[in-house]
Amino acid sequence: MSTYLEDKRNVTTQRLLEMKQRGEKISMLTAYDYSMASIIDKAGMDVILVGDSAANVMAGHTTTLPMTMEQMIYHAQCVRRAVKRALVCVDLPFGSYQGNSKHAVQSAIQMMKETGADCIKIEGGSEIKDSIERILSAGIPIMGHLGLTPQSINKFGTYAVRAREESEAQKLIEDCHLLEDLGCFGIVLEKIPAQLAKQITGELSIPIIGIGAGPYVDGQVLVMHDMLGINKDFSPRFLRRYADLFETIKEAVENYIQDVKEGDFPNEKESY
Ligand code: KIV
């Protein structure tokens, strides 16, 4: 059995830092409900992210923007009830922290109080500096999120790779340093060139978790529905599928329908 499965201690932000220091990669995956979170936690995941990607994979929206505080709180409560070991991180939804730092800290406090999450994740750099400072001053650990930030999709206009241009890469590097200096415990970097992610990972002492950011970061995160092949509409180059649950589930459901139609289910043993 691997050491990460033998190690029953709760994962904390401090332990993630220690993992970076000793070169142990950090595993992170999204979950939105009790049953899946329970499986993922028992498998030995380090960080479970209640992502606002719930908007896409749970609710069928085309962007993450419609997600509300109430919806994120509901998903986070379901996940929290299941998770015994992993660090539970929750996305603050679009509109709950941008623009007004007082509103931001209220949102973060509400999220922590009502869900029992261990930390929150927010998207952005210098433009949300005040919100980051206020949330941290309330004692709430923050994971930053830079590069492709889906809550700003209307500003970018595309989900293409970010920071290929020198000026954007420079701003990204500065934002990463800013987040570390402010006191964020980690940063997710989404869809940026691998060499840029490597440089940032080397310069910062806090853990860098990549999604579409290449192999030279401190850990990896994926959306659960994508890596399990439940959601087959999304096939970016960075995605590795570990199962084809769409087909597995469809086949099981087809067999069930057939058994019902043919009067084969339930049989005598399955009846009272
Ligand atoms: O919402 C989410 O699932 C995320 C990951 C893509 C990092 O933010």
Side-chain angles (χ1 to χ4, degrees):
M1 191 188 269
S2 311
T3 49
Y4 53 88
L5 282 174
E6 282 166 6
D7 192 344
K8 303 278 184 245
R9 289 176 303 161
N10 287 357
V11 180
T12 60
T13 56
Q14 177 58 31
R15 287 197 53 214
L16 295 182
L17 183 62
E18 290 163 9
M19 286 166 80
K20 171 162 183 146
Q21 285 162 354
R22 63 172 180 268
E24 179 184 340
K25 296 277 189 184
I26 296 165
S27 60
M28 177 163 157
L29 189 63
T30 66
Y32 318 95
D33 70 282
Y34 177 88
S35 302
M36 293 305 293
S38 177
I39 297 172
I40 293 168
D41 189 44
K42 288 193 173 78
M45 192 64 58
D46 295 315
V47 184
I48 296 184
L49 172 66
V50 186
D52 60 357
S53 50
N56 310 111
V57 297
M58 301 297 288
H61 293 294
T62 51
T63 74
T64 58
L65 273 63
M67 219 56 195
T68 65
M69 277 293 286
E70 289 67 31
Q71 289 163 343
M72 288 307 298
I73 287 170
Y74 169 75
H75 286 296
Q77 287 170 336
C78 297
V79 168
R80 178 71 278 177
R81 277 181 220 120
V83 176
K84 306 280 181 274
R85 176 183 171 276
L87 186 87
V88 175
C89 185
V90 185
D91 270 338
L92 285 191
F94 176 66
S96 69
Y97 62 92
Q98 296 96 339
N100 179 337
S101 62
K102 278 194 189 158
H103 181 212
V105 75
Q106 280 161 4
S107 301
I109 289 173
Q110 185 188 1
M111 188 60 80
M112 298 296 282
K113 256 189 200 292
E114 295 186 21
T115 68
D118 299 307
C119 56
I120 55 121
K121 177 166 81 57
I122 53 181
E123 298 179 8
S126 55
E127 56 287 339
I128 58 159
K129 178 173 178 281
D130 294 348
S131 295
I132 293 173
E133 280 175 330
R134 260 197 207 254
I135 295 171
L136 288 170
S137 72
I140 298 171
I142 299 179
M143 176 170 271
H145 184 154
L146 293 166
L148 175 64
T149 46
Q151 292 181 10
S152 305
I153 186 59
N154 291 316
K155 185 174 86 180
F156 298 142
T158 154
Y159 286 99
V161 177
R162 305 303 313 174
R164 282 197 193 277
E165 300 294 326
E166 180 56 33
S167 59
E168 194 182 339
Q170 200 47 48
K171 157 94 167 90
L172 178 64
I173 294 167
E174 283 164 18
D175 276 343
C176 285
H177 281 280
L178 176 68
L179 262 48
E180 171 164 276
D181 293 346
L182 290 173
C184 292
F185 74 87
I187 301 174
V188 166
L189 288 183
E190 181 164 352
K191 234 174 164 187
I192 64 163
Q195 288 303 323
L196 179 60
K198 181 182 185 183
Q199 180 189 336
I200 293 168
T201 303
E203 287 182 15
L204 267 64
S205 36
I206 57 173
I208 303 297
I209 313 293
I211 172 164
Y216 313 113
V217 287
D218 301 308
Q220 298 291 335
V221 57
L222 284 176
V223 170
M224 180 248 294
H225 288 65
D226 300 338
M227 65 82 83
L228 291 180
I230 298 171
N231 170 27
K232 304 242 282 190
D233 301 334
F234 183 65
S235 313
R237 169 174 165 164
F238 68 75
L239 176 63
R240 186 179 294 180
R241 285 198 206 288
Y242 287 84
D244 188 355
L245 288 196
F246 183 96
E247 283 309 323
T248 305
I249 293 170
K250 185 164 159 281
E251 201 182 307
V253 172
E254 284 168 354
N255 288 339
Y256 167 65
I257 293 169
Q258 190 178 345
D259 288 354
V260 170
K261 295 283 184 193
E262 291 176 359
D264 187 50
F265 174 79
N267 62 24
E268 241 177 75
K269 275 201 225 147
E270 290 157 338
S271 307
Y272 299 99

